Amino acid sequence: MKGAVGLIVAAGLGIAGAICNWYYLEQLARHQEQVVFIAIKDNVELEIGDIIMPEHLMDVSIPRSGVGNLEQIAPLWESRNAVAGNPAIRNFNGGEILLDSDLQRPAYQDLAETLQENEVARWVPIDARSVVAEQINPGDLVSFEVQRIGAGEPTPEGTAPAAPAGATEILGPFRVLAMGNRREASNIQEANRRRSGSEGTIAIVVELTNGQMSADAQRLFDAMRLSGNQGAQILLHSSHTDE
């Protein structure tokens, strides 16, 4: 009997503790500074290309202690007027907080204006059978797998043997400027209702030193010429690379 009473008392104390803890957190939330973000209203669903209207938006308040790095990657409620009028670049379900990445609208510049003084753009045909062009975006880093050409490189012992038939090498990485005429991510292009053309070529950035291309770039274009400019195979690098 005493054991049962003890269990009841312990359970009662546990409930009381939970209530006190909830009350403390609720009071903390009331008195702590709130950071207010922009979200899509619960009853609203948007598809790619739909215009985000003011009536689609609601404010979401989070206590400062629970914000973490969200303030660095999401617009605040005070900037909602700048958000309204943008096309959705992905599908949204009600209740989602908007992020800066959800509002990307590329600033279109002439291609030449995006290049530094020591850079040029070069176009490379790609092998459409082995590349899903829609998954490569401007700003990505890519390398090319091409047929190895010419005799081997000089070594201290002499010249290395010529590359065996069918041997390949990987050259790069190079920064992507455009896929065909696309200079933005596929979803952003779709959201802005821009026409998609052929993506059979890729424009890359090539650096010049004293007017000369890097060794990798020179070998790439030599290999392309010798192949009759057949489409190259592409390797897509991680976006987390430091290069």
Side-chain angles (χ1 to χ4, degrees):
M1 185 66 179
K2 289 182 179 180
V5 171
L7 289 175
I8 294 172
V9 171
L13 290 174
I15 294 171
I19 292 173
C20 290
N21 187 52
W22 171 84
Y23 180 77
Y24 168 77
L25 293 175
E26 195 268 344
Q27 290 298 309
L28 181 64
R30 284 188 180 182
H31 292 93
Q32 193 177 103
E33 178 189 0
Q34 303 286 302
V35 182
V36 187
F37 296 96
I38 306 169
I40 301 296
K41 285 183 178 178
D42 293 333
N43 61 344
V44 172
E45 293 187 358
L46 299 174
E47 296 183 352
I48 292 177
D50 290 347
I51 300 300
I52 301 173
M53 305 298 290
E55 57 267 27
H56 295 155
L57 305 176
M58 69 177 183
D59 59 294
V60 173
S61 298
I62 299 176
R64 171 69 66 182
S65 61
V67 168
N69 71 337
L70 185 60
E71 197 171 1
Q72 279 73 56
I73 61 173
L76 299 179
W77 179 247
E78 62 195 39
S79 62
R80 61 191 179 279
N81 290 335
V83 170
N86 284 292
I89 66 171
R90 66 177 179 87
N91 294 334
F92 288 100
N93 295 313
E96 291 189 70
I97 290 179
L98 290 170
L99 303 178
D100 292 334
S101 58
D102 295 327
L103 304 169
Q104 293 177 352
R105 297 192 70 181
Y108 256 63
Q109 297 175 284
D110 290 338
L111 204 58
E113 293 181 1
T114 68
L115 298 168
Q116 301 300 313
E117 289 185 5
N118 66 328
E119 295 176 339
V120 295
R122 286 289 300 261
W123 283 260
V124 180
I126 61 177
D127 182 358
R129 299 167 301 176
S130 62
V131 178
V132 182
E134 293 83 359
Q135 295 179 355
I136 301 176
N137 295 310
D140 287 346
L141 293 177
V142 297
S143 290
F144 298 90
E145 184 177 5
V146 298
Q147 292 294 315
R148 187 182 294 275
I149 60 174
E153 299 293 335
T155 69
E157 292 76 25
T159 301
T168 63
E169 61 180 329
I170 295 173
L171 302 171
F174 301 93
R175 177 165 55 88
V176 177
L177 280 173
M179 294 297 298
N181 68 352
R182 176 168 59 86
R183 294 173 51 197
E184 57 197 341
S186 296
N187 61 325
I188 296 177
Q189 182 182 57
E190 183 180 351
N192 286 285
R193 313 295 195 199
R194 280 192 263 273
R195 187 178 60 183
S196 178
S198 170
E199 297 187 1
T201 60
I202 182 172
I204 59 172
V205 177
V206 175
E207 293 187 6
L208 300 179
T209 303
N210 296 323
Q212 299 296 316
M213 293 187 293
S214 67
D216 267 11
Q218 188 62 62
R219 291 181 70 82
L220 169 63
F221 297 117
D222 285 346
M224 296 306 299
R225 280 192 294 270
L226 289 175
S227 72
N229 284 316
Q230 294 182 8
Q233 297 195 35
I234 297 178
L235 290 78
L236 177 64
H237 290 268
S238 168
S239 61
H240 301 293
T241 181
D242 293 330
E243 296 194 338

